[in-house]
Amino acid sequence: MKLDNMVRKVYPNLMPYVCQLADLPVEEMKQALGKDQVYKLSFNENPLGPSPKAVEAMQKALLQLNLYPSSNGEAVLNRIAEKEGVQPDNVILSNGADEMIILVAQTFLEPEDEVIIPVVSFVQYLASTHLMGAKPVFSPMKEDLGVDLDAILDLITPATKTIFLCNPNNPTGTVIPADELRAFLARVPEHVLVVIDEAYHEYAVDPEYRTSVEFVKQFKNVFVIRTFSKIYSLAAARIGFGIGHADVVDAINHVRPPFNVNSIAQAGALASLDDEQHVAKSRSINQVGKELIVELFEELGMNYLPSNTNFVCVDTGKDSKFMFDQLAERGVVVRNLSGYGLTTSLRISIGQPHEMQAFVAAMKDIIETA
């Protein structure tokens, strides 16, 4: 059997997800490092855990595992629509934000299409582009690592089908000011779908940031993606959603498999949406953690980017791999950003205060002994 003659032509561009140290669950990290205590600050997870109300709702839903879930999650759709000020036919659920990105690609991309992606942004945009055999076109960042909207406009051609924007951006934590984004969208041709990933929306603190849901009502070619994995702490449940023009949502529904979001996830999401106290506590813990490590970076003279997320991107001034390895030796696992060309930068997820204090102690020890 010759596999090369059987798989799709895009196969050489597709890579299986291979877990490196930073991607492993904590227990597996402990085994890999041979340590009893490991602090995982690499995956942008909410250290608070899910809402107690969500856990209770999910436990009740377990009693009906013999039944198929709602195929489109109508109760969750209606609650999201109410919360975001849109109609239910503007909303679609997915198996996490990752599946929504894939569904967009499967719905709109052909092999001859071009997809514009900022060069320092979430890797799933590139993976989904390759999945459909479309052509990725990378746009440069600004000097401060902000998204350069003018550079993106210059790259648009008749072959451009989609633009992916992450706002706030992963892995930098920067935001695109709302006024700049509105002006940009007004100049994007109607044949180009602008996908705006707002996975970290609830953490944004910059006064110039606003959700792009308001732009969905103004521009038919804007599609917003959100997730329950971050502020709502349901990463393992896998549930996300998209908000767009009804025609765009309907098109994606032609591709979306039925029952793509399980009933446990739906129950947890519905309960999470009504637990504002949990959201507020998550924000509070995040702010405390950010302040702890920002103070460290200022003390050490390291440049960091103002964060509107639950992580901080810092330029350590030293080789990223060296710093990653040194931190791992001390039981602290972060994200090495050298794959983005940021060869001296790390991304540190915000954990509980004691986890951030462990990071601070490890960094100080590295600098003192280097």
Side-chain angles (χ1 to χ4, degrees):
M1 180 177 72
K2 299 192 71 172
L3 189 64
D4 290 348
N5 295 331
M6 300 171 64
V7 296
R8 295 172 57 215
K9 292 179 180 179
V10 299
Y11 180 79
N13 290 326
L14 304 179
M15 299 295 294
Y17 187 77
V18 178
C19 285
Q20 304 295 327
L21 177 62
D23 309 307
L24 297 175
V26 172
E27 291 305 314
E28 293 182 25
M29 284 183 176
K30 290 179 181 178
Q31 293 176 13
L33 294 171
K35 295 183 177 295
D36 294 329
Q37 179 65 64
V38 172
Y39 301 98
K40 183 184 179 184
L41 304 176
S42 57
F43 235 64
N44 303 341
E45 295 158 325
N46 184 341
L48 182 60
S51 157
K53 294 180 180 179
V55 172
E56 181 181 1
M58 295 167 86
Q59 288 173 334
K60 289 181 179 179
L62 285 171
L63 300 176
Q64 295 185 316
L65 281 179
N66 58 310
L67 304 177
Y68 284 96
S70 167
S71 63
N72 64 353
E74 185 174 357
V76 186
L77 290 185
N78 289 337
R79 183 67 185 91
I80 291 171
E82 177 186 7
K83 191 177 181 70
E84 297 298 331
V86 297
Q87 297 301 310
D89 62 0
N90 296 125
V91 186
I92 179 172
L93 298 187
S94 60
N95 191 256
D98 290 81
E99 190 200 33
M100 187 61 74
I101 296 166
I102 294 170
L103 289 174
V104 168
Q106 290 175 326
T107 303
F108 295 101
L109 297 182
E110 301 280 5
E112 66 271 16
D113 293 332
E114 294 180 354
V115 179
I116 300 177
I117 305 169
V119 70
V120 181
S121 198
F122 187 40
V123 295
Q124 184 59 253
Y125 312 143
L126 175 61
S128 297
T129 300
H130 281 320
L131 176 66
M132 301 312 299
K135 178 185 177 183
V137 177
F138 293 105
S139 64
M141 311 299 287
K142 294 180 178 179
E143 286 189 15
D144 62 0
L145 290 182
V147 175
D148 192 333
L149 297 178
D150 288 334
I152 292 175
L153 288 170
D154 289 341
L155 291 171
I156 294 175
T157 72
T160 304
K161 180 66 71 68
T162 306
I163 298 169
F164 281 107
L165 299 175
C166 192
N167 190 36
N169 188 41
N170 178 17
T172 61
T174 58
V175 299
I176 306 171
D179 290 345
E180 292 181 20
L181 188 52
R182 180 186 290 105
F184 165 80
L185 293 172
R187 296 177 62 188
V188 174
E190 290 184 355
H191 75 273
V192 178
L193 181 68
V194 182
V195 180
I196 303 175
D197 182 351
E198 293 186 345
Y200 300 92
H201 159 72
E202 293 86 358
Y203 287 109
V205 293
D206 192 316
E208 294 190 330
Y209 168 84
R210 287 198 301 276
T211 175
S212 291
V213 171
E214 64 181 77
F215 300 138
V216 169
K217 303 169 186 177
Q218 185 177 354
F219 303 99
K220 292 183 178 181
N221 60 334
V222 173
F223 186 74
V224 174
I225 296 176
R226 296 266 188 90
T227 182
F228 284 88
S229 294
K230 304 305 177 184
I231 198 83
Y232 295 112
S233 199
L234 293 178
R238 309 310 301 134
I239 178 166
F241 61 94
I243 299 177
H245 188 272
D247 290 344
V248 173
V249 170
D250 179 64
I252 299 172
N253 265 321
H254 279 67
V255 174
R256 179 186 65 86
F259 316 115
N260 63 323
V261 178
N262 69 75
S263 57
I264 313 302
Q266 291 184 34
L270 193 58
S272 294
L273 287 168
D274 290 328
D275 195 345
E276 290 297 332
Q277 184 178 359
H278 178 265
V279 171
K281 191 173 180 180
S282 296
R283 288 196 185 105
S284 178
I285 288 176
N286 192 65
Q287 187 60 33
V288 170
K290 280 200 296 184
E291 289 174 358
L292 276 171
I293 60 173
V294 162
E295 182 179 342
L296 169 71
F297 298 148
E298 291 180 347
E299 178 185 335
L300 298 178
M302 294 180 177
N303 294 322
Y304 63 92
L305 295 174
S307 173
N308 288 271
T309 59
N310 63 343
F311 59 81
V312 176
C313 177
V314 60
D315 185 345
T316 67
K318 299 180 183 297
D319 179 72
S320 297
K321 185 179 185 306
F322 169 80
M323 293 299 293
F324 175 89
D325 290 342
Q326 290 294 307
L327 284 165
E329 285 182 14
R330 291 162 174 79
V332 180
V333 180
V334 297
R335 182 67 66 179
N336 177 355
L337 297 183
S338 58
Y340 289 98
L342 306 178
T343 56
T344 56
S345 294
L346 300 173
R347 189 193 71 189
I348 300 93
S349 301
I350 305 301
Q352 293 277 9
H354 73 276
E355 295 177 294
M356 307 319 297
Q357 288 163 359
F359 168 77
V360 169
M363 283 289 287
K364 287 184 175 180
D365 187 51
I366 293 168
I367 298 302
E368 290 172 1
T369 58

